Amino acid sequence: MTGAGSPLTLRSRLRSLRPVAFGADSAGERLERIHRSPNFADGVFQNPVGARTRPSGSGLEFAKIYFQKEARARRVPTGTIPVYATTLAELATPPASGLRITWMGHSTVLAEIDGRRVLFDPVWGNRCSPFAFAGPKRLHPVPVPLASLGPVDVVVISHDHYDHLDLPTIKALASTDTVFAVPLGVGAHLERWGVPPSRLRELDWNESAEIAGIRLTATPARHFCGRGLRNQQHTLWASWVVTGPDHRIYHSGDTGYFPGFRDIGAEHGPFDATMIQIGAYSEYWPDIHMTPAEGMRAHLDLQGDRPSGVMLPIHWATFNLAPHPWAEPGEGTVAAAEEAGAGLALPRPGQPFEPTGDDVPSAPWWRAVAATPVGGRPLAAAPLAVADAAPGTDAHQGKAEETAETAPSA
């Protein structure tokens, strides 16, 4: 039955009214591929290890913690974040080592690897939200205008939450020639926003694509998905391995800690650099993001339990997404790195560095604009030559949905 009042027609009408920022549902061959995935069961994508994807505990208790006046003041910097003014000349000059990393803030990273340019989770929008008037707002500007970034060979998306998949940014990149590497199902969003199917490489976990002479592999992560009012779990989330002729790098996306990091490291590592999510964590969502301590454990797992390579802490400093103090992820990462004796990169947003070079930034830049932690900072707070991330749990853009500053994520 397909008459004017039929369920099919009503569903089509409702779909046409769906805000464009919500993206699109998978259909046709893409949906059939999702249903065939070994990671899809009982109508949803499954995590490699069981995970609670909704905040646990009392909502009232969480609200008391979140809106407590003194705690709220600690969740933002006390002054202007010292963004590094990346120059076009720096980005136009090839890295001497063949590998250069530029953290733009949150999880956005430009990686120049063996002559190719890979852009992870690009978010140039002012808010990570489906709405321009509400949702978590930037705490610092993007260091480089997107139009000035220069050509990008591959854009890599870890999952479809608003703080990783940004509609205005994708629409701007859709007008370029770049290829998009995305987890299975996420391609439906990008096609609705103007990315041609020919420029999509949509991968399930442990699938790879060769693009411009480098190999990109979608690897497992412990998280979840969703952009609209209903979260159907029909888009996959992933971490990513990028392998060039001479270098290997890893981007965690959003993930809780799980034993699979060892497997990823054994198959694809060790890595010259890992980009590990260490911010926006809370005891209310311990399964789907990592704290600094867990992030460090993940880095060591990926490196075969050896403190090799350099770890770049990501998913912090740019948006206020959780109850912890703004600078706590940075401090926790420094402490975990010191304990593990692991190499840590601490660039300001926009500061390029070469992980295998001699000048990896290691000073805790945030301390100039951060409230002093309760109990003070560690005495051994001098600039570090080495450091890394520590274990814990992280929150995601949707965790602070209860607040007026946060828009729904699912």
Side-chain angles (χ1 to χ4, degrees):
M1 177 178 177
T2 58
S6 72
L8 180 60
T9 302
L10 178 60
R11 195 178 306 123
S12 300
R13 289 176 177 174
L14 290 174
R15 188 178 294 118
S16 68
L17 297 174
R18 177 175 178 163
V20 67
F22 284 4
D25 294 329
S26 294
E29 182 180 345
R30 176 178 283 115
L31 186 58
E32 291 176 7
R33 187 180 169 201
I34 288 170
H35 289 164
R36 293 194 305 267
S37 168
N39 305 303
F40 190 85
D42 300 325
V44 296
F45 278 112
Q46 302 289 327
N47 269 301
V49 175
R52 291 166 293 171
T53 60
R54 295 295 180 188
S56 60
S58 164
L60 180 60
E61 181 182 346
F62 175 78
K64 287 180 180 179
I65 294 172
Y66 200 90
F67 289 106
Q68 200 271 335
K69 185 176 180 181
E70 184 178 345
R72 290 188 70 180
R74 291 181 178 275
R75 290 201 298 272
V76 294
T78 59
T80 301
I81 294 174
V83 173
Y84 183 91
T86 309
T87 67
L88 298 183
E90 285 177 295
L91 294 179
T93 304
S97 65
L99 178 63
R100 182 167 57 207
I101 303 291
T102 307
W103 177 53
M104 299 295 179
H106 201 58
S107 294
T108 303
V109 180
L110 174 66
E112 298 166 272
I113 175 171
D114 299 336
R116 302 303 180 189
R117 308 177 93 222
V118 182
L119 185 60
F120 293 95
D121 285 355
V123 175
W124 260 255
N126 195 41
R127 295 182 186 270
C128 49
S129 166
F131 310 110
F133 56 86
K137 193 174 183 180
R138 278 188 172 278
L139 299 175
H140 67 79
V142 178
V144 183
L146 185 60
S148 301
L149 195 61
V152 173
D153 295 287
V154 190
V155 171
V156 176
I157 304 297
S158 65
H159 64 296
D160 70 358
H161 286 149
Y162 292 101
D163 57 327
H164 297 260
L165 181 61
D166 180 54
L167 169 61
T169 306
I170 297 300
K171 280 196 164 185
L173 290 167
S175 63
T176 69
D177 295 327
T178 189
V179 174
F180 292 80
V182 303
L184 184 56
V186 174
H189 299 321
L190 272 62
E191 284 189 31
R192 187 182 185 195
W193 300 338
V195 177
S198 62
R199 284 168 44 205
L200 288 174
R201 306 295 183 269
E202 203 163 350
L203 305 180
D204 203 342
W205 288 343
N206 302 312
E207 291 183 343
S208 299
E210 298 282 344
I211 304 173
I214 56 177
R215 185 176 182 86
L216 295 98
T217 303
T219 46
R222 191 186 185 201
H223 199 55
F224 69 111
C225 64
R227 293 181 71 85
L229 297 177
R230 294 182 306 131
N231 183 359
Q232 295 184 320
Q233 296 291 80
H234 279 188
T235 61
L236 191 57
W237 46 96
S239 57
W240 288 86
V241 170
V242 179
T243 305
D246 301 312
H247 296 92
R248 297 167 183 255
I249 57 176
Y250 171 86
H251 189 285
S252 72
D254 278 359
T255 179
Y257 180 80
F258 70 111
F261 291 114
R262 289 185 178 274
D263 299 329
I264 295 170
E267 183 170 355
H268 302 284
F271 301 97
D272 297 289
T274 67
M275 296 156 270
I276 305 289
Q277 167 260 304
I278 51 86
Y281 46 83
S282 170
E283 62 184 9
Y284 289 94
W285 45 83
D287 298 337
I288 51 176
H289 282 252
M290 295 188 292
T291 62
E294 287 176 326
M296 168 55 68
R297 182 67 261 166
H299 170 76
L300 294 175
D301 288 353
L302 289 161
Q303 303 293 57
D305 209 27
R306 296 184 301 274
S308 61
V310 170
M311 176 189 154
L312 169 67
I314 61 172
H315 200 266
W316 77 289
T318 304
F319 298 105
N320 176 9
L321 303 178
H324 63 64
W326 172 72
E328 187 176 277
E331 294 293 344
T333 301
V334 167
E338 288 181 326
E339 182 177 351
L344 185 68
L346 299 175
R348 288 178 283 158
Q351 183 177 4
F353 69 95
E354 299 191 29
T356 60
D358 298 326
D359 195 23
V360 176
S362 59
W365 55 267
W366 58 87
R367 290 180 180 170
V369 292
T372 302
V374 176
R377 296 190 178 98
L379 292 178
L384 306 171
V386 293
D388 208 311
T393 40
D394 216 294
H396 135 271
Q397 159 248 336
K399 301 313 171 292
E401 288 178 1
E402 317 252 348
T403 74
E405 272 301 295
T406 311
S409 69

